Amino acid sequence: MVTSLVLEGDAARIGLARHFAASFLRTARGADGTLIGLRTVETAQLIVSELVTNALRHAPGPALLRLSVLDGTLRIEVRDGSPVAPAVRAPDPARVGQHGLEIVTALARSVSVEAAGTGKSVTAVVGLT
């Protein structure tokens, strides 16, 4: 099961992306045919929020959000127009902001960044169980 959404514009699109992910996951099924749990939906929404925020703030638009459920995992992919890869910063509780990739890395099973055309693709993989 796969879906995607093109995002362009301001921060209002972040809420749209979160809602889009939740709607998709409410109807998606895991490998065993069961519905995806609320905890996974909430985790996915947070990851989507962080990745889309980064794409809309730091890259020329549009951004593409792609969600896929396969083999017991959820892949959350965000493509944008900047070739600059995001970097996880050292933890610093005094720093205001710039914790997005830290959060994504903590919640996801894996996070990868790949060149995609003139930009990049950031993918977070989340287990469904």
Side-chain angles (χ1 to χ4, degrees):
M1 192 168 195
V2 179
T3 192
S4 60
L5 175 68
V6 175
L7 299 158
E8 194 165 15
D10 60 14
R13 300 296 179 229
I14 299 163
L16 173 67
R18 289 175 59 92
H19 177 73
F20 179 78
S23 294
F24 170 72
L25 292 171
R26 280 191 202 105
T27 60
R29 304 255 178 195
D32 61 356
T34 61
L35 287 173
I36 294 171
L38 180 60
R39 185 176 189 145
T40 301
V41 173
E42 290 172 344
T43 297
Q45 285 185 291
L46 182 52
I47 291 171
V48 164
S49 181
E50 295 299 337
L51 294 181
V52 168
T53 297
N54 287 346
L56 294 178
R57 283 192 181 161
H58 304 294
L64 174 69
L65 169 62
R66 185 171 185 266
L67 305 170
S68 57
V69 173
L70 182 66
D71 298 331
T73 63
L74 166 65
R75 290 178 47 89
I76 302 166
E77 177 185 359
V78 176
R79 290 180 179 223
D80 65 42
S82 172
V84 179
V88 177
R89 298 175 141 230
D92 179 359
R95 184 177 68 239
V96 176
Q98 300 180 355
H99 295 280
L101 203 51
E102 282 178 68
I103 293 167
V104 172
T105 302
L107 293 173
R109 183 181 287 176
S110 66
V111 179
S112 62
V113 180
E114 296 179 13
T118 59
K120 68 181 167 302
S121 174
V122 181
T123 303
V125 177
V126 176
L128 295 180
T129 56

